[in-house]
Amino acid sequence: MTGALILIVVGLVALAVGGELLVRGAVGIAEKLGMSTLFTGLVIVGAATSMPEMVASVQAVMSGSPEIAWGNIVGSNIANSLLILGGAAVIAPIMLAGIGRRDSVVALAMTLILWAIAWREVGSPFIGVALLVALIVYILWRYRHPPAQAEAEAEETATPPNFLLSLLFFAAGVAALVFGGNWLVTGAIAIASDLGVSEAVIGLTIVAVGTSLPELAASAVAAFRGHAELAIGNVLGSNIFNLLLIGGVTMTVSGQPLPGELLQYGWPIAAASALLLLLMCRFMPRIGRLFGLLMLGAFAANTALAFT
């Protein structure tokens, strides 16, 4: 048990450091190659902050534990929507002003589609490929109609001063993510076995929160700098990449149906949190500290429910 806990802690640290290095390197490389700032902020940064989830999920599938992979995807979206956004709102109220209206619709729609796939108990590499194609369509759509907050997100990301340093940051980030994901999944599987807790629950909680650390760091920094409204764009973008990119890769590699255990509490909570984001983006002028505390309480309650 002690060895597994050490693996999890070391894995979480490696994922957090790797995610930060990958973001810095990816943005630096993209800018040196002449990509637009808006497109870089949406695609490069959005994909990079989802890499911990990607690595942990692929490592789980390769280890024969797709339940951890899907639990990680669902749990990360719940953590993004409730824990990270709620925590950012507690630090500083998030002014919405219509931010994320279209992206919140996409996030909810894809959550419902994957929930339906889980309910039908179907699995196929072709479904995974379809999800990846949907991601490409989304990226192209956003390239033609970039969100206003992407520019600000890119500005918030520290850029390495030269191309060589960008490459070094990127390579170091990838290495840290690969090793960190392997350690985290190995420790999580061991704890699940020792405690008699299902792998889906471990993925939904421990692994999901751990791989959401880059998003948590980005949202906290935005709030501390007085730009807490950027957190909503970070959360929505990460949720969409989790569903389409990581879900697509996981389904393509495993080809297995989504874990039925997540139908009880995982997907319903993910859909409810996605709906909450849509309603907030549509009708709320801001997310205040009190509402942020309520979101944190909802996340804590969901975590307790998962273990019971």
Side-chain angles (χ1 to χ4, degrees):
M1 176 71 75
T2 302
L5 289 174
I6 292 175
L7 278 177
I8 287 180
V9 172
V10 174
L12 291 178
V13 173
L15 287 175
V17 173
E20 173 64 19
L21 290 175
L22 186 62
V23 169
R24 289 173 178 264
V27 172
I29 292 172
E31 291 190 354
K32 293 297 182 181
L33 294 179
M35 296 181 183
S36 70
T37 306
L38 290 177
F39 188 70
T40 300
L42 172 65
V43 179
I44 303 298
V45 177
T49 54
S50 292
M51 282 301 102
E53 287 92 338
M54 166 71 84
V55 174
S57 294
V58 171
Q59 291 281 3
V61 172
M62 299 303 292
S63 300
S65 302
E67 295 85 0
I68 286 184
W70 284 109
N72 178 34
I73 293 170
V74 175
S76 292
N77 278 21
I78 295 173
N80 287 345
S81 303
L82 299 178
L83 173 64
I84 294 173
L85 193 57
V90 170
I91 294 173
I94 300 174
M95 306 305 296
L96 296 176
I99 295 175
R101 288 186 176 183
R102 291 177 291 182
D103 299 284
S104 62
V105 173
V106 174
L108 177 59
M110 295 314 306
T111 301
L112 294 177
I113 289 174
L114 281 174
W115 186 7
I117 292 174
W119 188 267
R120 297 289 297 176
E121 298 182 350
V122 295
S124 168
F126 295 105
I127 297 177
V129 172
L131 293 175
L132 295 175
V133 171
L135 175 64
I136 294 175
V137 172
Y138 171 75
I139 291 173
L140 293 175
W141 172 58
R142 264 329 196 177
Y143 178 74
R144 296 176 61 90
H145 307 282
Q149 72 269 21
E151 179 79 28
E153 283 185 18
E155 291 175 356
E156 289 293 322
T157 305
T159 304
N162 57 65
F163 188 67
L164 178 59
L165 190 57
S166 297
L167 288 175
L168 291 175
F169 278 168
F170 188 85
V174 171
L177 289 176
V178 170
F179 285 108
N182 184 37
W183 295 329
L184 179 62
V185 170
T186 300
I189 293 175
I191 287 183
S193 177
D194 292 341
L195 297 180
V197 179
S198 72
E199 293 181 352
V201 170
I202 294 296
L204 189 67
T205 54
I206 297 175
V207 179
V209 173
T211 54
S212 295
L213 290 179
E215 288 89 344
L216 178 59
S219 297
V221 168
F224 274 121
R225 292 184 179 181
H227 301 286
E229 71 279 1
L230 299 180
I232 190 71
N234 179 40
V235 166
L236 286 172
S238 178
N239 284 357
I240 293 171
F241 271 99
N242 286 347
L243 294 169
L244 297 181
L245 175 61
I246 304 172
V249 170
T250 300
M251 179 64 78
T252 301
V253 174
S254 70
Q256 300 180 21
L258 280 66
E261 185 176 358
L262 295 176
L263 291 171
Q264 302 175 23
Y265 44 77
W267 286 111
I269 300 299
S273 61
L275 177 60
L276 176 64
L277 284 179
L278 187 150
L279 295 176
M280 289 191 298
C281 291
R282 290 277 176 176
F283 302 110
M284 291 179 60
R286 72 169 193 165
I287 306 175
R289 288 189 173 90
L290 178 58
F291 200 85
L293 288 173
L294 293 176
M295 295 171 70
L296 292 178
F299 178 78
N302 174 70
T303 302
L305 178 63
F307 278 102
T308 58

